[in-house]
Amino acid sequence: MAYRVPFIDPRSHYAKLKPEIDRAIIECLANGDLVNRHQLKDFERHLAEFVGVKYAVGVNSGYHALLFALLGAGIGPGHEVVTVAHTFVATVSAIVHCGAHPVLIDVGPDFNMDVELIERAITPKTKALLPVHLNGRVCDMDKILALADKHGLAVIEDAAQALGATFDGKCAGSQGRAGCFSFYPFKVLGGFGDGGAITTNDPQLARMATLLRYNGEDRETGEYHYHGQTALLDNVQAAVLDVKLRYLPEWIAHRRRIAELYRRGLSETRQLRLPHFDEACCNDIYQNYVVRTSVRDQLRTYLKEQGVETLVHWSRPMWEHRGLGLAVPDVPETLSICREVLSLPMSAETTEAQVHTAIAAIQAFFSKYP
Ligand SMILES: Cc1ncc(COP(=O)(O)O)c(C=O)c1O
């Protein structure tokens, strides 16, 4: 079905940048620059500068960024990693695939790790904290870093949804031992397929990730240092991402304007909770604009009838998927989030007119649910 207000609009996203993107792709193809060429190195350098770290290592997904960052921090069998119950499954799968045990704690009302719950989750086996900067908002990094320091833990930031978001002026992915990004097509910086990157100031972690993504091989010497994986960021994707990265500040500013329009249009709607939290320290990028309401499913159905596309991140808690073999955590906020959240249309292409259409439809719905 064609929506009046699509959740995202990949075709017009491409159309806007077509000449530059086509040029970047054709240059790779014409020169045979397909694997690990200057386009990848250029993109890594620009990404590291953007995030404010020394190194960026391009890999083929956010999942691999997490996996290699954890391995690079020495996480393995017998270790526990404290992360959140409300995240995409890849966060937890990366911990499991290191051989470590994920300990899931609850989030606060801003959807991010509840820092008050961290200490009681720490045991002698805990080796790392893995905060997730969800929806484009950075976790309380001051408290997380202080606790990590106190207990001698590594901090790996899942910044898959937060490229460009800041906490006290510092970018997501710049403060922990490593930051992990995803360039899945619908992320704030998205490729035309899967992609990801690790950011870090730690030369050893950067080197290990660089080897692990290339089957463990040091390309200069031909020496295999580890059993690695085939997980390099494609050179053509890197060329495209390097073009798009130049537009990222503009796109983030646009997302903030869209968020502000939603705030103005919906703040009087008492049945809705909007995603505007303490803004003194955090500058959010609104990867997702997530509202909460007890009549989420009815609202979503109504908006669909009105041609407004929405998504739910996520309605079914991870541990209910039996195949994942996860213990049931005590996480009341996560459970109510699963029942209540709805992501409204939000992208670099979302127009002000579309936002007004979405707001009017939401208001019309709630006039029937006083
Ligand atoms: C919070 C979070 N972590 C990790 C990932 C994994 O990234 P990818 O899909 O690139 O593997 C995602 C992707 O959606 C995500 O949203």
Side-chain angles (χ1 to χ4, degrees), residues 143-155:
K143 295 215 175 108
I144 289 170
L145 291 168
L147 285 173
D149 235 27
K150 178 173 162 194
H151 294 276
L153 308 174
V155 175

Side-chain angles (χ1 to χ4, degrees), residues 110-269:
D110 68 351
F111 305 112
N112 276 345
M113 184 175 263
D114 183 341
V115 292
E116 302 305 325
L117 302 176
I118 295 174
E119 240 171 344
R120 74 181 78 142
I122 292 173
T123 74
K125 292 181 180 167
T126 310
K127 287 285 176 283
L129 303 179
L130 204 170
V132 180
H133 308 314
L134 209 70
N135 300 326
R137 177 180 177 77
V138 184
C139 297
D140 183 341
M141 287 304 287
D142 280 352
K143 295 215 175 108
I144 289 170
L145 291 168
L147 285 173
D149 235 27
K150 178 173 162 194
H151 294 276
L153 308 174
V155 175
I156 304 297
E157 298 175 64
D158 182 337
Q161 299 194 5
L163 181 59
T166 60
F167 181 89
D168 271 346
K170 289 171 212 131
C171 266
S174 69
Q175 294 198 74
R177 181 93 173 268
C180 304
F181 292 94
S182 165
F183 308 125
Y184 179 75
F186 309 130
K187 293 290 191 267
V188 63
L189 179 70
F192 292 131
D194 281 314
I198 297 158
T199 52
T200 184
N201 287 312
D202 178 341
Q204 274 153 4
L205 192 147
R207 176 165 163 77
M208 187 162 170
T210 304
L211 299 175
L212 284 172
R213 70 179 178 172
Y214 222 141
N215 301 101
E217 184 187 6
D218 180 334
R219 298 291 289 175
E220 310 239 307
T221 63
E223 181 75 16
Y224 288 90
H225 291 267
Y226 311 100
H227 286 288
Q229 302 196 10
T230 308
L232 195 64
L233 177 62
D234 280 332
N235 200 67
V236 178
Q237 291 289 357
V240 168
L241 290 165
D242 206 27
V243 170
K244 291 193 180 191
L245 185 59
R246 295 199 282 275
Y247 292 89
L248 188 59
E250 198 182 295
W251 293 340
I252 289 174
H254 181 78
R255 284 173 179 270
R256 288 185 179 135
R257 277 196 297 278
I258 297 294
E260 188 51 32
L261 287 181
Y262 278 129
R263 188 218 288 257
R264 280 195 225 142
L266 296 172
S267 54
E268 302 294 306
T269 308

Side-chain angles (χ1 to χ4, degrees), residues 60-66 86-92 130 132-135 158-162 180-185 187 193-197 287-288 313-314:
N60 65 1
S61 67
Y63 160 76
H64 278 93
L66 288 160
H86 180 53
T87 182
F88 183 55
V89 66
T91 315
V92 175
L130 204 170
V132 180
H133 308 314
L134 209 70
N135 300 326
D158 182 337
Q161 299 194 5
C180 304
F181 292 94
S182 165
F183 308 125
Y184 179 75
K187 293 290 191 267
D194 281 314
Q287 164 67 57
N288 300 308
H313 303 100
W314 298 271

Side-chain angles (χ1 to χ4, degrees), residues 295-341:
V295 287
R296 187 263 313 279
D297 293 336
Q298 296 92 319
L299 174 61
R300 186 163 195 229
T301 305
Y302 179 81
L303 290 177
K304 187 174 177 193
E305 287 160 9
Q306 300 304 308
V308 177
E309 188 179 18
T310 59
L311 291 182
V312 173
H313 303 100
W314 298 271
S315 59
R316 193 167 160 213
M318 237 181 293
W319 52 93
E320 286 185 6
H321 299 260
R322 301 279 295 277
L324 298 179
L326 298 169
V328 179
D330 177 20
V331 287
E333 187 72 25
T334 295
L335 287 174
S336 69
I337 284 171
C338 289
R339 289 190 299 268
E340 294 176 358
V341 283

